[in-house]
Structure formats: C-alpha cells, structure tokens
Amino acid sequence: MRSFTHLATVRNNTTTSVGLARFAVGWVDVGSSVRAEIIVMPVAGGDDSAHEVTLGGTFPVGEETWRFADLDMASADEWEVTVRRVDENEVLDPPTGRLWRPARLRAYGQLEEAQLQALEAALGARLPASYRDWLGRTNGAQPETEHHIPGVPFTLLPERPLFGVHPERPPIDLAHGQRVHRDPWLSPDWLVIANPSGGLLVVSASRRGDESVYFVHELDLVGPAGPAASAGRERSLAEVAGSMWELIGRLTPTDEADHPAARLVPPTAVSNSSHDEGGQK
C-alpha cells in the first residue's frame, strides 16, 4: 500500500492521514536543535510508533521513508509540522517556517494569599482565576527586551511591563494603573494589566468564568469619557489569549524581521506630495 500524497502537514492536537497511515506530533522542541516526536499510526493494522526526529531527518512509514521537512510555530502551543515522502526525485526545499522563541520575562517575586485578597479588596473586583494564579506566582513581570504577539499591534517594553503590586513604583502598580489607564476610557468591569506600546491589555473583572486577555487599540483610547463611550470601546475589545498562561505562551521577543521594512522616499517625492497638480500648496 502506498501513500496517496507526498506532502502532509500536522497541526498540534490533530492527526493527518496519508492513506497508509495517520500522523500525529507529540511535541516539538526548538532548543539547540529543532526536533519533533512524530507518531505514525498504521491504518491496516500494526502498532503505532513514535520517532524523535531532528528537522531534515527521516523516519519509516510502512515500506516508505518520510522526512521531517519544516516547522511553523504561531506560539509555544500552536504549531504545524510539515512531513514529506522521500522519493527518488525529492527536491529538498529549505525550511521556511517560523521557529518560536519563548518569552524572556523577569518575575518581580510572589504574592501571598493575604496580599491577593487585599488587592482584590482595593480593586473592588475578583481577579480571573488564571490571572490571579499567575500574579501570585510572579507579582507581574518585566520583559528583558521588546515582546509582542505576531499579528497583534502592541509591544511590551522593559519600561512597560506586566503590572504587579508595587505601590512604591506607581508606573508598574496594578491599582495605580486602573486610575491612570482604565478609568479615563473603560468601565470598572475591566482591569488593565499592562500598558504596552500600542494600547492596553485587559482582563474581565465582572464576567464569571471569563479567563481571556483582551487588547484595546490605542486608536480607541480617544474621545469623551462616560458610560456610553466606555461601552463603545468595550465592544471593540479583541481577545488575544484564552487565559493569562496562554498569553505568556504567545508572547515572543521581537526582532528586526518582525518590523516592516523601511522605505526610502526621495526628497522630491516628499516635496511634490505637499503641492497640488498645479504646483500650488
């Protein structure tokens, strides 16, 4: 029996069939080398087999040989492995996928249960469970360098960290952050947990069971105050992670390749753009 395709992709937590077998991937690792555990499940009987394969390496599938060809990672927990059958005329294209780099965050410390309860009393709100757990373990965190989530227009900076309980340092204090960053724009139904470049990161302070982290774009942080304006802004909140721990898993250091390329504009083009076709301003 022969596979019906020479190329297949396998997403995390899914299986992919190539006819004679189904593929799954147990884990991926981007440490000193790029590796993955590729699981082969024959469809015509036989035992499943797991193969720890380095990127570019091969593994058996029945009487065929397949190769771990590429890895593309959207986050630490969201990725896609590409495998291809090794044929006589195989073309070894170089890998083009993104390799995830874990966040480099420095925790400020820990918070005791009494401190968390005092914080909730001061805020007048119960913290979402995943955020409360993360905050208790870290008391906020400072990125070592610029961090972002690919495709989301914000950047966490060392001077704009994830807030904690720091009354002696108001710019990174959670309670102070509500007065400065939330109250002018949003209702008390939300808690601002960071003030990154590009907007705000917030969690719900009112919806029981809502563990998600949301992004408020800086373009929405304009206009009048008041309940009606706040309600309008809150309708435009964008979910960026299903929990605080998922947010940490999606954050990655920003590098130059993540920024749009600079475009050089000749001085004449700048000059001409400020005039109409007749040459008049």
Side-chain angles (χ1 to χ4, degrees), residues 12 28 30 71-80 98-103 148-150 240-241 245-252:
N12 54 293
V28 296
V30 291
L71 170 63
D72 188 66
M73 302 184 73
S75 76
D77 301 309
E78 185 179 355
W79 34 261
E80 182 179 86
R98 297 164 295 172
L99 299 183
W100 191 255
R101 292 168 298 148
H148 73 146
I149 292 177
V240 295
W245 292 111
E246 182 181 330
L247 176 77
I248 301 304
R250 297 195 67 196
L251 285 171
T252 188

Side-chain angles (χ1 to χ4, degrees), residues 97-259:
R98 297 164 295 172
L99 299 183
W100 191 255
R101 292 168 298 148
R104 292 164 24 215
L105 304 175
R106 296 192 186 107
Y108 288 110
Q110 294 182 330
L111 295 174
E112 301 293 337
E113 175 61 25
Q115 292 174 293
L116 290 169
Q117 292 179 8
L119 172 64
E120 290 177 324
L123 295 172
R126 177 76 177 176
L127 302 173
S130 71
Y131 178 65
R132 194 179 195 273
D133 179 49
W134 177 84
L135 190 64
R137 294 170 184 264
T138 64
N139 194 19
Q142 180 184 41
E144 294 182 5
T145 184
E146 293 185 6
H147 280 61
H148 73 146
I149 292 177
V152 184
F154 77 82
T155 305
L156 274 178
L157 306 169
E159 61 272 22
R160 293 192 178 192
L162 293 158
F163 295 153
V165 178
H166 306 283
E168 74 288 355
R169 299 177 62 190
I172 65 172
D173 181 61
L174 191 63
H176 180 81
Q178 308 317 304
R179 297 189 292 271
V180 174
H181 303 296
R182 179 196 65 187
D183 293 349
W185 311 113
L186 303 171
S187 74
D189 289 340
W190 300 92
L191 291 174
V192 174
I193 64 171
N195 172 39
S197 172
L200 301 172
L201 292 176
V202 303
V203 296
S204 175
S206 63
R207 295 189 290 191
R208 186 177 296 275
D210 186 353
E211 299 291 317
S212 296
V213 180
Y214 299 87
F215 173 62
V216 187
H217 199 287
E218 63 183 359
L219 295 180
D220 292 319
L221 304 178
V222 295
S230 295
R233 294 185 188 98
E234 290 161 15
R235 284 193 293 271
S236 68
L237 293 175
E239 182 179 349
V240 295
S243 70
M244 190 62 189
W245 292 111
E246 182 181 330
L247 176 77
I248 301 304
R250 297 195 67 196
L251 285 171
T252 188
T254 304
D255 61 27
E256 293 300 322
D258 296 319
H259 295 292

Side-chain angles (χ1 to χ4, degrees), residues 59-75:
F59 56 96
V61 182
E63 296 182 356
E64 298 179 346
T65 299
W66 283 66
R67 187 183 308 280
F68 174 19
D70 209 347
L71 170 63
D72 188 66
M73 302 184 73
S75 76

